[in-house]
Amino acid sequence: MLFAGLFGLTCCVAAQAAQNISKEEVKHFKLTKVGEISIAETGGSISSPSDLHKEISKRADDKGAKYYVIIAAREHGPNFDAVVDLYK
């Protein structure tokens, strides 16, 4: 029973995470740009594309964005960096 409750809570939280979309989707759905973020960590704290997406989604959520478009991304040594536009 406890596991089912925790699983349900996890699903609800994950459903609220900002989503990566394309520039075409921004135009099609006429989304409003609400800002831009830059991710540039050191020390290998963002060491994979999945780590990068998690961090982008978290920061987008913190800024109230529902969607994001990655404008530029790169692997820099043990880290992944990105510049991202945020949308509602």
Side-chain angles (χ1 to χ4, degrees):
M1 184 85 150
L2 178 62
F3 176 73
L6 291 175
F7 179 74
L9 179 61
T10 302
C11 290
C12 292
V13 171
Q16 296 175 3
Q19 298 178 6
N20 184 19
I21 61 171
S22 69
K23 289 181 184 179
E24 290 77 21
E25 289 172 300
V26 170
K27 291 177 189 174
H28 177 77
F29 294 110
K30 298 177 180 154
L31 299 175
T32 302
K33 185 174 177 181
V34 295
E36 180 181 290
I37 56 174
S38 179
I39 310 281
E41 301 292 326
T42 59
S45 62
I46 300 176
S47 60
S48 70
S50 63
D51 289 346
L52 181 62
H53 281 278
K54 286 177 190 173
E55 184 64 23
I56 291 169
S57 184
K58 178 185 170 293
R59 291 188 191 188
D61 289 344
D62 291 347
K63 297 217 178 243
K66 293 183 180 180
Y67 309 100
Y68 62 90
V69 175
I70 297 174
I71 303 304
R74 70 179 179 143
E75 183 177 4
H76 181 66
N79 302 296
F80 284 78
D81 302 338
V83 175
V84 181
D85 286 339
L86 305 175
Y87 294 91
K88 278 191 179 180

